[in-house]
Structure formats: structure tokens, C-alpha cells
Amino acid sequence: MRADPSSAHDRIIEATLDLADRFGWGQVRLYDVARQLKFEPGEIRRHFRDLDALGDAWLMLAEIAMGLQTRPKERADVEAAIRLYDAALELCPAEEPLLRARVTARKGTAYQTLPSETAEPLEVARDCFEAALLVLAKNGSPEEQAEAEMNLGLVLQTLAAAGRARLTDAIAAYQRALDRGAWAVPAKA
């Protein structure tokens, strides 16, 4: 999902994403965003104090998505959360792989809870968890790794029941989650 072009705030985000797509995030300047939109630079600064603030907009989108996903009233809430995770991933700089992996894992949990008559949302959830785990395995905390592995195991178990995955892969994901030590109860002193 790209930003809603009806508001200046969203038009700024959209223009920034377009410039980043064309020239790379490191080459984007507030002046270039203003010029593309035919805004005065002060107009950009009224919405975002600097490029870092504009870049941090992705974090806000991810937090809103988590809120929608936590207590969804209907399927549309989960779908909106997925669109917000996509927008957050578009805004998150590529040089922040751990943050991107965290958002991708959260997106996987949204797909995991999306009601469907088909296995497609669960297959997307699996892909999200597997992609996130590539980064989390190297840079994430043991708790983050265990949570992603556990969610992957749940998805694989459900897909196995539909003949779309192997149950042994689900068990292996559960075992990796347990091996992370996040579930261990501390010994009493």
C-alpha cells in the first residue's frame, strides 16, 4: 500500500518513496521532495522536521498495524493491518534488516490470523516467517527467534493438515523455538 495522495502528509511520504525507489534512500533530500511536489521546503518541515522523521514514519505505521491486529473487529481490520505492514516495509530503509525482519514477522502473524477458505494466507504467513528468520537468526534476540519459530510451526502444522506442508517441518520449527531457551523456566536460587 502506498500513502493516500489526498493529504499533504501522505503526498510527502509517497514522493519520498518514489524518490527512494529511483535514486536510493541515501540520495533523498527534503529539498528534492519539496521540488517534486512543487511545495516550499517549509511545507515539508511542517509535517516532518527532517529526513529522519520522515523515515521514522514506517515505525508509526507498523505500530498502528499491530494495534489493528491485536483486537480486530472484522476481517477488514486484519487486511488493513497487512496494508500498513506493507507500507511500513516500503518506508523502512533497506540498511535496517533487523527492523525489516521484525515488521515482516508481524506481517506474518497478521496473515496467520486472516480468515480464509484457502491456504493462501497461511502460505504467505509461512513465507513471512521464513524470510524474517533469515535475519532474526543472526541478529534477533532469542525471544524473537523463538516467537517466529513457534509461529512458523503453528502455520506449518495447519498447512500440513491441508496437505500443503510436512508435519515434520512443523515439529522441527517447534524444536528450534524450544532450543532458543526463551521458554525455559529459571531455576530457583
Side-chain angles (χ1 to χ4, degrees):
M1 173 189 107
R2 291 288 192 152
D4 176 7
S6 64
S7 76
H9 181 272
D10 291 347
R11 288 178 62 211
I12 293 166
I13 292 173
E14 182 67 27
T16 303
L17 289 172
D18 288 341
L19 290 169
D21 285 346
R22 290 190 311 202
F23 306 111
W25 188 258
Q27 300 301 313
V28 177
R29 303 287 178 262
L30 287 181
Y31 174 80
D32 299 324
V33 175
R35 187 174 51 179
Q36 179 165 320
L37 293 171
K38 297 180 174 68
F39 284 1
E40 293 295 321
E43 175 70 13
I44 305 293
R45 286 191 186 89
R46 277 204 311 254
H47 295 278
F48 300 96
R49 69 185 177 284
D50 56 25
L51 198 58
D52 287 337
L54 184 54
D56 289 343
W58 74 269
L59 181 58
M60 177 187 67
L61 292 173
E63 289 173 358
I64 293 169
M66 286 189 301
L68 277 174
Q69 183 186 341
T70 302
R71 291 192 178 90
K73 292 184 173 80
E74 54 192 39
R75 177 188 172 100
D77 291 340
V78 179
E79 291 169 340
I82 291 167
R83 288 191 302 275
L84 288 170
Y85 286 128
D86 286 337
L89 287 167
E90 286 186 43
L91 288 170
C92 185
E95 52 278 354
E96 295 287 352
L98 181 57
L99 298 177
R100 293 181 65 78
R102 289 173 177 157
V103 173
T104 300
R106 292 301 307 166
K107 180 180 167 184
T109 64
Y111 273 105
Q112 187 178 3
T113 62
L114 190 63
S116 178
E117 297 294 321
T118 70
E120 184 180 350
L122 291 174
E123 290 172 337
V124 174
R126 177 194 57 210
D127 295 344
C128 288
F129 293 129
E130 287 175 345
L133 279 163
L134 291 174
V135 175
L136 292 174
K138 295 176 187 169
N139 302 316
S141 71
E143 292 81 11
E144 289 174 314
Q145 294 169 37
E147 181 180 2
E149 290 285 9
M150 188 62 68
N151 283 320
L152 177 60
L154 290 168
V155 167
L156 290 171
Q157 182 177 350
T158 306
L159 286 172
R164 308 285 288 213
R166 298 181 319 166
L167 188 56
T168 55
D169 292 338
I171 294 168
Y174 291 140
Q175 186 61 51
R176 288 189 303 269
L178 292 171
D179 290 345
R180 300 290 187 257
W183 313 110
V185 176
K188 292 185 179 183

